[in-house]
């Protein structure tokens, strides 16, 4: 009996999953996992039954707080009969194995991005998901951000006509630690990957060609490991429309995340959030508060909303906020951007997928 | 043994309250009570042990969902030994009796505003609280709003010098139902009372004189019951500074809540929140999204923050976000405004308290 | 033959004024007069033929620069046959006599506000204008400001329905010199008078009752001469709608001039101008440039536009931007506000006009 | 005697030019020439003495209005002894010959951009200017725009540190007529040339490499003549910093002109101007007025300021706002962008100048 057969069997045993709570296991209790676990308790229809982390102390603290079982070995969690779905919040290097194992056990999967840094390994993970028939959602949180989602809705409602151009700005408040960056896969795979996904999501169209320029300006020593921290990436979409992404690892004002889409009947912007609405007008000018700090503050609501989306997709059959295939496509675009940068030429996306 | 003696006894029995969770009973499970109960579950240090509502169905639904006891008679909840504090979310007419009973039982009190519409009854409730020694916090949520709190912090940090003038705008998106308004105590007691409190909070100063003009412009039929729905109230503070509050029961753009404070070195504003940051630029202009709908959306974070403040005041001895006395003072200002409107003259606050 | 008979006679002699340039004499070459003279040269249809100022040096400098005649005695200028219209830019105390003389000579009149500080003298000046049949425009520049004019146009176009409330904020960047203030007629006559006019203009309605509170907060020594520098004035209009004006003699951010009108279908704002559109986002926040300095910068365009309006009213018969009667009405409101402040009660406008 | 010798001779004859007015001749009285002539009359130190245009009617109308001589042959104007400087506002094709002739006659030159579409002809014109020693200023109006100038000043004042990236957005409100576009030299030479100049001006640095993608999206028929109407151009500067320019021939909201510069200590923006400051808040949202129409409205102040700059450079020896060499550099960048687009590769600027 295949994994997907098992799933169907277990489903029929317990009646329609839509009648009851989704029993969730959380894999990895670092910053993201702890946040996801907290969010899961706020979403009707999700119930955490077990958590897993190789670090004993954080494991037992969280298990106690939530009143659930704790496992140091994630395979034990994945094997539990009373787990319907897993939230994979472990380091990226573990994602592939965990996805495959969960899929084989018939567990639905929510996985943080990236699936993996290697396209071959991504393909293996997605194949396992496909074969098992489980549902997989990827943690492209920005799709669930209220501002970006509202912009997408306007585009879908034909507010400005068929877009000609998309422009994304994404700047981190400060560079990640050197050890993080050195294993991150580089700027395109680590940071731009969110923008590739957002560009595809917004334009509802596929990128066919990528060009890129970049430099190590924030931290010139990055050049030694072949990485950059400022970049401009240009895109051509299948319908002929254009795109441009700008990234930087440092932004004094905070986590700068903006989208602009230009079309025949107008231009749509998703502007930055404000930490608060206080304005101070004095002899030096008119001062607004800075942009909220970083991921946790800026995408607070988006993290909750995407998990709610995962629950809705399992309970009501809604489409996932982002699929594993969305993850693979963005990884391909990151690879194309890297090649474009190195070879100093526009790279057709088909060159990568070939 | 007095009520406050009882409290001290029970405190010593159970050790310092700071070592443990505050066990909370929720009185009233209407819109506000249900929201407060949900929020209480998100605040570390608070644990709901019982709820009460005269309506059986909403009572049992909430009790079941939270896994706590339900009482149809609030006196049973107040009498429970395992309740440290009550959240009074019932209709205003019941507040006085519930405050007195809770105080006599040595329970700490969080109470929605207003304490009562009658200054004599407010005085009775506050006397009971004072005598018992329990802590009481009043639900003046706006003090806990991130924007207003940030503005207050700037003032406290001397950002613009000692203020000369405060200007408050507060407009509801649409008039409340006629039956609500007819028992609300009128515009000043129902709506302006929040602005009176916010003015005192921001200026850290007491109002000594009130003037008012107003009219029933949104719903002219209100004039028949002696009420108004648009008003401008001017204030004099003890230090000579000035204030002006503007209220309206209808605002097409949504729940319009703004504060402006002007002083020697500048002007501070707390502007409205935005539903989202999407901007549409087209041939007709540049369009921002409307202001979020009403209380639940606008003061979502403030409701949570003020309950967190209540927990901190019980656990760590922080001062309450707003006290019962703050409630009494605002009720006095509402009475002064009413007299000023009817008698068409400035009314000294001392005339009311006399 | 009456003055107005003279005018008609002279008009027929020279054919229709619409066929030719308006020959203008400028009375007073202080800051305002010099600016008006410069503006007049930029308006097609106006031609300066003479200027007058008691100060010899500024007179001859301007006369030379413009290539026109200079008179130290304004009565000579008013008497010239080749002057069709006068721009009265002298100190306020001289306005009444100059208006009367110009009217008797059949000259059209553009006069800076105020007509006079005394209602009786204002009445005499307006009677002379009425009798002579000349056209008189008063320098209520704000009516011609692009922002306020655009707001008025929206109201006239029924953008928000019949207004319920108008709110005006007007703050000077810094107090005028003590000697100026001591002869200015006080805050209401000197500063609020512009807001009274703007309120009437915007609401297209007459004020029937005025209340006021105020204090000398910026410069406490003003109290000694019975003046104030911060004030809140509330208004009732004939149709029952409400108004509130807030004034202050000091504003660190610059010349703060805002209007807000609230009505059944929405709210209209005329916000401040910006010195430039540069925004600096840094670790302390997001900083916009201050508001432009003072009259000359803020109302640069309005000064030009109102003079263009004067030309259009003489050449094409358009109504004046503001009439002498508008000036009288605002002076009445200033008097009512003064009485309301002193007598600490609402004052019916009819009390003043009686 | 060389032209520049002539100039020196004539200068000594008439004393220092700084003591007196600059006598100006205007070449070409189309839309730009008429506007320039009007502006010249408002600038102290400039005096128009003659105008020239091949079209009789517009020539005599302007000559009459200004009270100056009119010539149908521009060579007559250039030959006049009483002309110190010429404003060349004729079609671009005539610029080279007029520049050379004016330089040979020792006349200072203000010339609208572009100098020419051909780099060889540009070189000839600049050589003549260089040899004659006259001063030449090129009409890169955006450098004189109050917003862009203020941004540049902030950068020069080290407000954000040495910039890492510049981002320019420039979109016309609507496509120019087909006949204009067909002779314009294409998007890069006609439209992006302003952005190339602004990028160099802002960064105070030279571009060393250009890449470009583009498409005919607004008017697909443009593809037939090898032109595009939407483009993204990326730049590398000599110091390693990056740039990106985005252009589009259509923008529903109006003439969209923005600059953003990002650096170590913050980000600077020059935002769009507003037609007015009116904001309408209603049930559909919060609506600001559109961006002012096109060149005449948006750069009204800049056109005046750059001519004032020309006067100051002739009278006080200030550097020109933009030089002929600035014009040549931008033309080179346009040629590089064109080659990058056609050859689908990054083009080193040195390839063009070689």
């Amino acid at each position: 009996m295949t994994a997907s057969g098992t799933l169907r069997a277990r489903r029929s045993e317990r009646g329609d999953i839509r009648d009851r709570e989704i029993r969730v296991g959380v894999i990895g209790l670092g910053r993201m996992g702890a946040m996801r676990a907290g969010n899961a308790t706020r979403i009707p229809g999700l119930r955490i039954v077990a958590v897993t982390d190789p670090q004993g102390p954080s494991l037992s603290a969280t298990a106690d707080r939530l009143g659930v079982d704790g496992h140091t070995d994630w395979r034990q969690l994945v094997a539990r009969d009373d787990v319907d779905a897993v939230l994979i919040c472990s380091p990226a290097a573990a994602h592939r194995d965990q996805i495959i194992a969960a899929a084989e056990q018939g567990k639905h999967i929510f996985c943080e991005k990236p699936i993996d840094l290697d396209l071959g390994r991504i393909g293996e993970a997605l194949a396992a998901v496909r074969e098992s028939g489980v549902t997989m959602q990827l943690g492209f949180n920005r799709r669930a951000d209220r501002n970006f989602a509202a912009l997408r809705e306007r585009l879908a409602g034909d507010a400005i006509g068929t877009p000609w151009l998309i422009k994304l700005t994404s700047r981190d408040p400060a560079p990640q630690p050197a050890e993080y960056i050195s294993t991150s896969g580089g700027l395109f795979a680590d940071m731009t990957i969110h923008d590739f996904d957002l560009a595809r999501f917004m334009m509802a169209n596929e990128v066919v060609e990528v060009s890129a320029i970049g430099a190590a300006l924030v931290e010139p020593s990055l050049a030694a490991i072949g990485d950059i921290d400022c970049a401009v990436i240009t895109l051509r979409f299948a319908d002929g429309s254009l795109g441009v992404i700008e990234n930087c690892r440092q932004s004094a004002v905070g986590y700068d995340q903006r989208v602009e889409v230009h079309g025949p009947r107008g231009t749509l912007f998703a502007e930055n959030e404000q930490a608060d609405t206080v304005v101070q007008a004095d002899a030096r000018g008119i001062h607004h508060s800075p942009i909220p700090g970083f991921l946790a503050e800026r995408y607070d609501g988006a993290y909750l909303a995407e998990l709610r989306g995962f629950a809705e997709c399992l309970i009501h059959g809604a489409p996932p906020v982002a699929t594993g295939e969305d993850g693979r496509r963005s990884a391909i675009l990151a690879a194309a951007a890297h090649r474009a940068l190195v070879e100093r030429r526009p790279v057709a996306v088909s060159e990568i997928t070939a």
Side-chain angles (χ1 to χ4, degrees), chain A residues 33-91:
Chain A
M35 182 267 284
R36 295 290 186 196
N39 278 350
T41 66
R42 290 172 60 188
I43 294 171
L46 294 190
R47 185 160 57 85
I48 300 178
V49 295
V51 294
T52 174
D53 194 272
Q55 308 291 330
S58 57
L59 175 64
S60 57
T62 304
D64 282 4
R65 186 165 54 80
L66 298 174
V68 302
D69 297 339
H71 303 273
T72 47
D73 180 356
W74 62 264
R75 293 190 184 271
Q76 290 181 325
L77 182 145
V78 169
R80 286 174 68 125
D81 274 353
D82 66 347
V83 163
D84 300 316
V86 293
L87 310 185
I88 301 180
C89 309
S90 53

Side-chain angles (χ1 to χ4, degrees), chain A residues 142 147-148 151 166-171 195 198 202 244-247 251 253-261 268-273 291 298-299:
Chain A
R142 291 185 201 175
N147 307 307
F148 298 141
L151 197 162
I166 186 167
K167 227 163 161 172
L168 300 101
T169 301
S170 176
R171 300 177 189 146
D195 303 298
L198 204 52
M202 287 294 178
V244 57
I245 297 169
E246 183 250 302
N247 289 137
S251 169
V253 73
Y255 191 36
D256 190 351
Q257 305 276 293
R258 285 172 281 149
V259 174
E260 174 176 351
V261 184
L268 285 165
F269 303 81
E271 300 284 6
N272 282 308
E273 296 267 346
I291 298 171
R298 174 62 181 85
Y299 289 120

Side-chain angles (χ1 to χ4, degrees), chain A residues 10 50 61 160 217 289 318:
Chain A
R10 287 181 48 254
I160 60 165
L217 298 172
S289 297

Side-chain angles (χ1 to χ4, degrees), chain A residues 2 33 50 52 65-66 88 94 121 126 136 164 195 197 210 243 246 250 252 256 287 297 304 324-325 333 352:
Chain A
T2 66
T52 174
R65 186 165 54 80
L66 298 174
I88 301 180
R121 286 168 56 88
L126 297 190
M136 175 167 168
W164 290 330
D195 303 298
D197 180 65
V210 179
E246 183 250 302
Q250 182 176 314
D256 190 351
H287 316 287
E297 297 82 8
L304 189 64
E325 179 61 15
L333 296 180
I352 305 297

Side-chain angles (χ1 to χ4, degrees), chain A residues 116-202:
Chain A
D116 197 276
L117 290 176
D118 179 81
L119 282 171
R121 286 168 56 88
I122 291 172
E124 292 159 14
L126 297 190
V129 169
R130 209 160 39 238
E131 201 178 322
S132 74
V134 298
T135 294
M136 175 167 168
Q137 182 174 318
L138 199 69
F140 276 140
N141 55 293
R142 291 185 201 175
R143 292 181 174 220
D145 173 70
R146 63 175 185 157
N147 307 307
F148 298 141
L151 197 162
R152 172 64 208 141
E153 211 167 291
R154 298 272 190 102
L155 285 170
D158 197 34
I160 60 165
T162 303
W164 290 330
L165 180 116
I166 186 167
K167 227 163 161 172
L168 300 101
T169 301
S170 176
R171 300 177 189 146
D172 280 357
Q176 303 275 3
E179 55 271 34
Y180 172 92
I181 289 181
S182 65
T183 63
S184 69
L187 187 79
F188 298 142
D190 180 51
M191 197 167 153
T192 322
I193 197 165
H194 276 293
D195 303 298
F196 288 132
D197 180 65
L198 204 52
R200 292 179 60 249
F201 172 66
M202 287 294 178

